[in-house]
């Protein structure tokens, strides 16, 4: 047995011993009473009785131990032509001043704060200022529409929202304030105050009495110190797509989060304190939370905040420039970003001008990684390229090659093996493990390790119903896959209607809800169909009500705009087609899986329960008309 397997076995045989040892590496005001409270399954709590603070572990601890003048954060923004470095001492100063502002406006322990901001340093300051005061932040991705923001406001009930006047997408300034105001109009819950960072590209109008400009808010305010919180207190809520349009509020408990992320930096990513680490994601996603902000800062690294794209800002060499300029040793991004680069620079000519001698590894996650992307990156970059698998709920990798423990041979198409703490089983519908090589539901035997979600925000019932009811004692990941003869796992598809578009997790159910609300639509379905760049893109099917007189193209245009307005541009919903009928089983279930296979030009077997097989021919014709089903 190798070191990876050894460590994994030890973590499952003695989880309490294993995670007590890992917990020695972080700062506690008071040690835990118990490592794990397993008295109330399926609700498990790590380190109850322990008292700590997320911001203290990310910032103050390093300032006090000799890293005050080390770069903590490098803001690299090709879209504003800015590069700015912040030391640990400088971040501590900004964070404690904003923490003072929160205090002044009555925001403290246990209060929620929504952060709706672009990729600017102030967003990180805002998140850490919440953690400093014991408030619970909930970051909302900038590519969501007002309606999505409103849903999160109503669920989290924030006392305050911290936002900015705008974000910058290539070729356009995205004004945040109209979206924020629209969301607050739509929501039932109203925050008492909004703090607005005015960026120079766009000045947002302020609502008197409610909105306070960022700098003005700081005037005359005393900096605030870290507040001790319980290890089991939530550090943040992060909403993610479920099977309906109502997002799930994934809760992250404070103590386990710090322990697991700190542990992952050396063991999985093989990065040392003081080194520069870069995750090219967005702070609105879990990858951004865990690996732009928390893990590298808990570990005393320099982290890079990149406000730009893999291509077009200004070219497909942007990632390699950032790695070279900031001495990045390890980078994390989504396969789709590499595919975008490869499409523009297939021969990797734009790698050559940059000195990447410090660069040691590239990690990919967020969607299934096609072997071509792995091969191309290995070939052009000359470093190990590690596909690893996880999700918002886990908060850190479930399966990965562990470069800090024992680098294993890379098998493209597989994220290697489960990492310590995760007892990953592939189950059939009767909750039995399937044979090696057979596909089944990927499930994790409870309890999961520290850092994983303890529940959904104020919704224990939905937590149990979504993840724990189908296979008692197991957490359902929602992914399907298999183990091979070497114990490597492969993640093949979702078992629900979640799709991954350019590494962004989206609910087709949520899009169907929007389509169904169009007055001319009788029935609809949305599928994720294969896309060479984005992995998958959504495609809508519409059945119109009898007697509709408007043209099909007009209705398609309407629904595309409706999804953009209600979910946001990030849904990338650009295509839909009108059909006479949808294929269904005799019990009335829409055969989405078969439709997807037809769209992707894959072989399919005629479902035995199909109501009327002729409809599949009609679907194929409609798909060919818009360039799918072998039509491309
Ligand atoms: N704020 C506002 N709008 C945003 C946004 C944000 N933060 N992020 C994306 N959008 C918009 C885009 O501008 C685009 O709008 P458009 O329809 O007007 O063109 C739309 O949402 C879809 O964005 P995206 O799917 O990202 O496609 P793209 O064509 O703009 O870019 C890639 C393609 C591959 C370059 C890009 O998807 C990418 O960098 N992906 C990496 C994904 C990633 O980091 N995922 C995190 C998990 S690790
Ligand atoms: P998110 O919660 O947005 O991080 O999305 C998590 C989902 O993305 C997982 O449940 C998988 O479906 C998919 N995913 C993430 N990483 C991988 C990977 N390495 N391989 C295959 N699918 C992945």
């Amino acid at each position: 047995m190798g070191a990876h397997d050894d460590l994994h076995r030890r973590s499952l045989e003695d989880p309490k011993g294993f995670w007590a040892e890992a917990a020695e590496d972080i700062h506690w005001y008071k040690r835990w009473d118990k490592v794990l409270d397993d008295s109330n399954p399926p609700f498990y709590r790590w380190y109850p009785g322990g008292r700590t603070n997320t911001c203290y572990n990310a910032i103050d601890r390093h300032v006090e131990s000799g890293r005050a003048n080390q770069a903590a954060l490098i803001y690299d923004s090709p879209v504003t032509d800015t590069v700015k470095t912040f030391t640990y001492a400088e971040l501590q100063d900004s964070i404690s001043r904003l923490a003072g502002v929160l205090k002044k406006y009555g925001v403290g322990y246990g209060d929620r704060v929504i952060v709706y901001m672009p990729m600017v340093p102030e967003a990180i300051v805002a998140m850490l200022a919440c953690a400093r005061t014991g408030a619970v932040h909930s970051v909302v991705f900038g590519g969501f529409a007002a309606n999505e923001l409103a849903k999160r406001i109503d669920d989290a009930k924030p006392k305050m929202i911290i936002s900015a006047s705008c974000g910058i997408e290539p070729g356009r300034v995205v004004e945040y304030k109209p979206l924020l105001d629209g969301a607050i109009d739509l929501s039932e819950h109203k925050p008492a105050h909004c703090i607005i960072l005015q960026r120079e590209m766009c000045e947002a109008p302020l609502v008197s009495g409610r909105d306070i400009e960022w700098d003005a808010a700081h005037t005359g305010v005393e900096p605030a110190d870290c507040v001790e919180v319980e290890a089991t207190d939530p550090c943040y809520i992060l909403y993610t797509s479920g099977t309906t349009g109502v997002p799930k509020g994934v809760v992250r408990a404070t103590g386990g989060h710090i322990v697991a992320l700190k542990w992952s930096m050396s063991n999985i990513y093989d990065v040392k304190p003081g080194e520069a680490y870069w995750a090219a994601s967005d702070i609105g996603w879990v990858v951004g939370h865990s690996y732009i902000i928390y893990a590298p800062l808990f570990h005393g690294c320099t982290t890079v905040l990149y406000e730009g794209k893999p291509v077009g800002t200004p070219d497909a060499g942007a990632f390699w420039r950032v790695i070279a300029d900031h001495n990045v040793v390890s980078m994390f991004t989504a396969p789709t970003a590499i595919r975008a680069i490869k499409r523009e620079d297939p021969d990797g000519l734009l790698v050559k001008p940059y000195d990447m001698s410090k660069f040691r590894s590239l990690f990919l996650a967020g969607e299934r990684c096609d072997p071509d992307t792995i091969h191309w990156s290995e070939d052009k970059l000359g470093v190990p390229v590690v596909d690893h698998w996880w999700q918002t709920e886990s908060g850190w990798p479930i399966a990965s090659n562990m470069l800090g423990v024992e680098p294993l041979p890379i098998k493209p198409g597989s994220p290697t093996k489960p990492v310590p703490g995760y007892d990953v089983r592939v189950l059939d519908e009767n909750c039995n493990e399937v044979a090696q090589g057979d596909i089944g539901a990927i499930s994790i035997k409870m309890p999961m390790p520290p850092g994983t979600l303890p529940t959904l925000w104020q919704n224990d019932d939905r937590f149990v119903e979504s993840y724990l009811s189908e296979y008692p004692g197991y957490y359902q990941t929602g992914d399907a896959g298999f183990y091979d003869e070497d114990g490597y796992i492969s993640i093949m598809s979702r078992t629900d209607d979640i799709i991954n578009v350019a590494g962004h997790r989206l609910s087709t159910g949520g899009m169907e809800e929007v389509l169904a609300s169009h007055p001319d639509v009788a029935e609809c379905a949305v599928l994720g169909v294969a896309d060479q760049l984005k992995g998958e893109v959504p495609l809508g099917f519409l059945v119109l009500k009898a007697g509709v007189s408007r043209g099909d193209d007009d209705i398609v245009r309407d629904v595309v705009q409706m999804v953009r307005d209600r979910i946001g541009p990030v849904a990338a919903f650009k295509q839909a087609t009108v059909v006479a009928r949808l294929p269904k089983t005799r019990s009335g279930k829409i055969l989405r899986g078969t439709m997807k296979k037809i769209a992707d030009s894959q072989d399919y077997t005629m479902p035995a329960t199909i109501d009327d097989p002729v409809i599949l021919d009609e679907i194929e014709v409609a798909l060919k008309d818009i360039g799918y089903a072998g039509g491309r």
Side-chain angles (χ1 to χ4, degrees), residues 344-355:
E344 299 226 336
D345 180 26
D347 298 324
L349 299 177
L350 293 171
V351 181
K352 298 197 163 62
Y354 300 106
D355 173 7

Side-chain angles (χ1 to χ4, degrees), residues 482-501:
F482 64 91
Y483 273 116
D484 76 2
E485 63 285 2
D486 298 318
Y488 279 49
I489 197 156
S490 286
I491 316 299
M492 303 308 290
S493 59
R494 292 283 307 186
T495 55
D496 52 18
D497 64 359
I498 284 170
I499 58 171
N500 242 292
V501 181

Side-chain angles (χ1 to χ4, degrees), residues 299-331:
H299 204 46
C301 292
T302 300
T303 189
V304 180
L305 180 74
Y306 175 70
E307 191 183 27
K309 298 275 173 179
V311 294
T313 57
D315 59 28
F319 275 15
W320 323 134
R321 188 223 12 110
V322 171
I323 290 173
D325 282 358
H326 308 309
N327 295 318
V328 170
V329 300
S330 183
M331 178 193 184

Side-chain angles (χ1 to χ4, degrees), residues 75 117-121 123 176 199 281-284 292 305-307:
Y75 168 54
M117 293 186 94
M119 291 281 284
V120 291
Y176 275 42
R199 301 186 77 186
S281 177
D282 188 285
I283 52 152
I292 295 176
L305 180 74
Y306 175 70
E307 191 183 27

Side-chain angles (χ1 to χ4, degrees), residues 240 285-287 335 364-369 387-393 399 413 415 477-479 491-494 498 500 503-505:
T240 190
W285 306 119
V286 71
V287 175
L364 300 174
E367 57 180 320
R368 181 169 160 75
C369 188
D387 173 16
H388 62 331
W389 166 63
W390 51 297
Q391 40 184 216
T392 306
E393 290 84 345
T477 64
D479 286 313
I491 316 299
M492 303 308 290
S493 59
R494 292 283 307 186
I498 284 170
N500 242 292
H504 307 136
R505 171 168 160 180

